[in-house]
Amino acid sequence: GHLGTVQLANREVENAYGVDFLTVSPFLGAESLEPFIQICNSENKGIFILVRTSNAGNGLIQDAIDANGDSVSEALAHYIHAQASASIGESGYSLIGAVVGATYPAQAARLRAIMDTSLFLVPGFGAQGGSAADILPCFHANGLGAIVNSSRGVLYAHLAHHGNACSKGAYKQSVLTAANAMCGAIYESLHSHFPLLCY
């Protein structure tokens, strides 16, 4: 990959992968996020901060209520909105995004209302139970603002038809078929709710 250097905590570090966006955990506090946010702003890179994950056990921490009556997810959303507002690009979106799972659409709608300038990275589609309808609250009213991810549903689609004994060609075809089905379902859902949206 491309080798470069970036400043982190007043020292140069190697950037061996040339990544543009990174997913980060907020649970060590703002001091663990601020170096990433500084690099986003200085290097025109981006981050997705975990806010509302798609896994079933997330409520133990993410639904906890703080002294203001906000859930941990909502408190994180307010923090992200404040940070994101300082770095809006030409497209109207910030370099500071959020991970918001497809498996909790009601919470996603509340989080979208708070983080109106952040892109959402949306896991949980497919294998974890998130449907094409469930992802809609992650988008803005114009049908933009979210990147939908399906790892298991695409990468392991071959298991349903071929099991573990799968040829390279059959595996590739399974991945292609699953990815096309995912895209088709997402586009159909988006078009039904945002009819003026063109892809």
Side-chain angles (χ1 to χ4, degrees):
H2 170 71
L3 288 175
T5 58
V6 294
Q7 285 292 125
L8 181 60
N10 297 322
R11 63 185 176 91
E12 283 192 354
V13 296
E14 291 248 331
N15 175 12
Y17 301 106
V19 298
D20 291 314
F21 265 79
L22 190 69
T23 299
V24 297
S25 172
F27 293 106
L28 294 176
E31 66 271 17
S32 72
L33 296 174
E34 286 166 5
F36 290 104
I37 293 170
Q38 289 171 6
I39 287 189
C40 289
N41 290 321
S42 67
E43 302 293 326
N44 199 30
K45 301 294 184 181
I47 56 173
F48 290 110
I49 300 173
L50 297 172
V51 175
R52 181 70 188 191
T53 58
S54 55
N55 60 301
N58 68 18
L60 177 68
I61 294 172
Q62 296 168 24
D63 286 339
I65 303 299
D66 70 10
N68 296 323
D70 288 332
S71 69
V72 169
S73 292
E74 291 166 339
L76 284 167
H78 288 295
Y79 169 81
I80 291 168
H81 176 68
Q83 299 301 315
S85 297
S87 61
I88 307 297
E90 293 176 21
S91 64
Y93 291 101
S94 172
L95 295 170
I96 315 301
V99 174
V100 178
T103 49
Y104 298 93
Q107 290 90 342
R110 287 198 301 277
L111 296 171
R112 173 45 79 200
I114 298 168
M115 296 180 287
D116 59 339
T117 60
S118 290
L119 290 170
F120 280 15
L121 177 60
V122 185
F125 181 89
Q128 287 184 306
S131 71
D134 292 333
I135 66 169
L136 292 173
C138 295
F139 290 84
H140 281 109
N142 64 1
L144 302 175
I147 302 163
V148 182
N149 178 61
S150 176
S151 298
R152 272 186 285 162
V154 172
L155 295 176
Y156 298 109
H158 68 284
L159 294 175
H161 303 288
H162 306 287
N164 286 325
C166 183
S167 71
K168 186 176 180 180
Y171 176 77
K172 285 182 175 181
Q173 187 57 51
S174 292
V175 167
L176 180 62
T177 300
N180 284 337
M182 174 188 165
C183 289
I186 290 170
Y187 291 153
E188 184 178 328
S189 186
L190 288 173
H191 281 294
S192 69
H193 282 75
F194 311 112
L196 299 180
L197 188 62
C198 296
Y199 289 101

